[in-house]
């Protein structure tokens, strides 16, 4: 569990907040995961939007709350929690009605969620090539300098190495772009992971048995993003396709995953261009 220590947090005011507060961004997959969870559990929460597209996550204020500069961040009664899967786990035990992690299965679920989190950079790789065009350098030098300079830089009192991983991702994306090799590798990883889910769904209605759990929430969000990027879900993984759509259409999910019409149009135009050039996710990822 990643609960920050008081010294990791420089924006001290949050340490006095009562109740459930979520810092999040509308279009962020990890934020969507937590919001869907909150909807399904019917938990009341206070809304703190952070605009990733303008670099608000690298502001002094936000890096003072989450030294990793990522969303989501939960402040629960003055305790600051980062990492979406840890946030779900914490909230499920704090609000014990309608459990979404079956009792006694916490360890097994943690393993599955860990595997899903390991694919997060692959999701980002695919997103940045196959949603709307992001320009040559998706994060400016100035933005990245802010990221380097601000915040405590520590998580649980230790220098945070994940910040270096983030910096490396954005610097590589700026210097050489998101390469075909990177897309190919990430698409391959997802294909393998989704094949495993395909097998699981042969034997059960949901990913972890016959009731919906946090694992379904996490994977619906990922699959939703992949399918928006042009991943051929129905062709490669028909069971996953059959599981995905009914969940995706439930209001608790639908509400959090809408794309504004103007952005959707830009994505559609981009896909049309990629299709003409033979450079879609299916082409580059050899799916
Ligand atoms: N493992 C983290 C990943 C969080 C993460 O990478 N969040 C993304 C949005 S989905 C983010 O904040 N990106 C920063 C950016 O795009 O500048 C979690 O599950 O919370």
């Amino acid at each position: 569990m990643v609960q920050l220590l008081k010294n990791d947090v420089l924006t001290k005011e949050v340490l006095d907040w009562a109740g459930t507060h979520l810092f999040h961004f509308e279009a962020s997959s990890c934020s969507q995961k937590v919001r869907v969870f909150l909807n399904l559990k019917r938990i009341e929460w206070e809304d703190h939007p952070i605009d990733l597209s303008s670099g608000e996550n690298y502001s002094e204020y936000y890096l003072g709350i989450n030294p990793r500069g990522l969303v989501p961040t939960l402040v629960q009664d003055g305790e600051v929690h980062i990492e979406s899967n840890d946030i779900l786990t914490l909230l499920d035990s704090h609000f014990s009605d309608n459990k979404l992690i079956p009792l006694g299965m916490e360890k097994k679920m943690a393993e599955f969620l860990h595997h899903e989190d390991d694919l997060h950079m692959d999701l980002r790789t695919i997103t940045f090539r196959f949603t709307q065009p992001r320009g040559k350098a998706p994060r400016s030098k100035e933005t990245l300098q802010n990221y380097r300079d601000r915040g405590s830089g520590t998580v649980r009192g230790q220098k945070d190495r994940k910040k270096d991983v983030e910096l490396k991702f954005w610097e590589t994306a700026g210097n050489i772009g998101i390469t075909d090799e990177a897309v190919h590798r990430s698409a391959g990883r997802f294909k393998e992971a989704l094949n495993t889910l395909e097998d699981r769904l042969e034997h059960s209605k949901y990913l972890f048995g016959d009731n919906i759990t946090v694992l379904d929430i996490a994977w619906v969000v990922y699959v939703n993003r992949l399918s928006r990027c042009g991943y051929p879900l129905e062709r490669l993984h028909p069971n996953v396709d059959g599981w995905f759509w009914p969940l995706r259409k439930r209001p608790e999910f639908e509400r959090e995953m809408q794309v504004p019409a103007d952005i959707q149009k830009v994505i559609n135009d981009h896909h049309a261009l990629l299709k003409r050039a033979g450079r879609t996710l299916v082409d580059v990822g050899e799916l």
Side-chain angles (χ1 to χ4, degrees):
M1 290 279 190
V2 188
Q3 179 188 339
L4 297 183
L5 303 181
K6 287 191 173 158
N7 282 345
D8 300 327
V9 177
L10 301 185
T11 304
K12 297 290 182 197
E13 65 187 59
V14 301
L15 300 174
D16 297 325
W17 290 359
T20 306
H21 297 256
L22 187 71
F23 291 89
H24 66 109
F25 178 57
E26 213 165 83
S28 126
S29 58
C30 301
S31 304
Q32 289 173 339
K33 208 196 303 184
V34 178
R35 296 196 311 262
V36 169
F37 173 93
L38 291 163
N39 290 344
L40 286 168
K41 296 270 286 188
R42 304 195 190 293
I43 297 170
E44 298 283 327
W45 55 285
E46 304 241 3
D47 186 11
H48 301 270
I50 294 293
D51 183 4
L52 297 188
S53 63
S54 70
E56 194 183 356
N57 51 320
Y58 301 141
S59 63
E60 200 120 37
Y61 175 77
Y62 189 65
L63 276 166
I65 298 168
N66 182 338
R68 233 164 238 178
L70 301 173
V71 287
T73 301
L74 173 80
V75 179
Q76 179 66 43
D77 297 316
E79 290 177 352
V80 183
H81 298 267
I82 60 173
E83 290 297 324
S84 57
N85 289 335
D86 289 350
I87 292 173
L88 300 188
T89 307
L90 175 101
L91 286 172
D92 202 54
S93 83
H94 191 86
F95 296 93
S96 53
D97 279 359
N98 181 19
K99 295 287 283 176
L100 291 171
I101 299 179
L103 278 174
M105 291 295 165
E106 295 80 2
K107 219 169 142 210
K108 194 83 208 144
M109 191 61 89
E111 272 171 39
F112 282 127
L113 288 175
H114 187 74
H115 175 230
E116 178 260 6
D117 186 52
D118 273 349
L119 290 163
H120 189 74
M121 284 302 199
D122 295 302
L123 192 68
R124 193 186 284 173
T125 297
I126 292 175
T127 299
F128 272 73
R129 270 279 292 263
F130 300 101
T131 50
Q132 66 269 44
R134 314 279 176 151
K136 176 86 182 69
R139 295 289 178 270
S140 72
K141 285 208 161 63
E142 188 196 347
T143 304
L144 293 181
Q145 198 53 45
N146 287 339
Y147 187 29
R148 264 185 218 94
D149 294 345
R150 295 173 174 169
S152 65
T154 62
V155 166
R156 301 199 58 75
Q158 307 289 318
K159 180 180 171 342
D160 186 28
R161 272 182 287 150
K162 292 229 173 164
K163 186 164 170 172
D164 297 332
V165 175
E166 288 293 315
L167 280 163
K168 184 151 182 257
F169 178 89
W170 296 120
E171 280 162 359
T172 309
N175 293 335
I176 59 171
I178 309 264
T179 62
D180 286 2
E181 290 71 30
V183 168
H184 194 269
R185 210 168 32 242
S186 294
R189 285 198 189 119
F190 269 113
K191 187 171 169 189
E192 197 184 318
L194 290 170
N195 277 338
T196 309
L197 301 191
E198 185 73 5
D199 292 345
R200 293 183 76 79
L201 290 166
E202 215 40 78
H203 309 291
S204 61
K205 184 167 177 209
Y206 295 107
L207 295 178
F208 203 82
D210 288 325
N211 295 306
I212 185 169
T213 67
V214 290
L215 200 61
D216 298 288
I217 301 174
W219 273 102
V220 164
V221 169
Y222 270 21
V223 168
N224 181 60
R225 174 67 59 80
L226 287 172
S227 106
R228 277 186 47 216
C229 289
Y231 189 94
L233 188 66
E234 192 180 0
R235 170 163 61 79
L236 292 182
H237 318 281
N239 291 342
V240 177
D241 188 69
W243 154 89
F244 169 66
W245 285 107
L247 282 175
R248 169 66 181 78
K249 288 180 182 154
R250 282 176 64 160
E252 296 91 341
F253 287 80
E254 172 67 21
R255 211 159 67 219
E256 306 307 338
M257 282 184 245
Q258 286 172 9
V259 181
D262 55 335
I263 295 189
Q264 191 55 53
K265 181 176 180 326
V266 179
I267 296 172
N268 293 345
D269 292 348
H270 186 47
H271 282 187
L273 207 82
L274 295 176
K275 194 158 186 200
R276 281 198 294 278
R279 307 283 293 146
T280 63
L281 174 57
V282 170
D283 300 318
V284 181
E286 294 185 292
L287 292 169

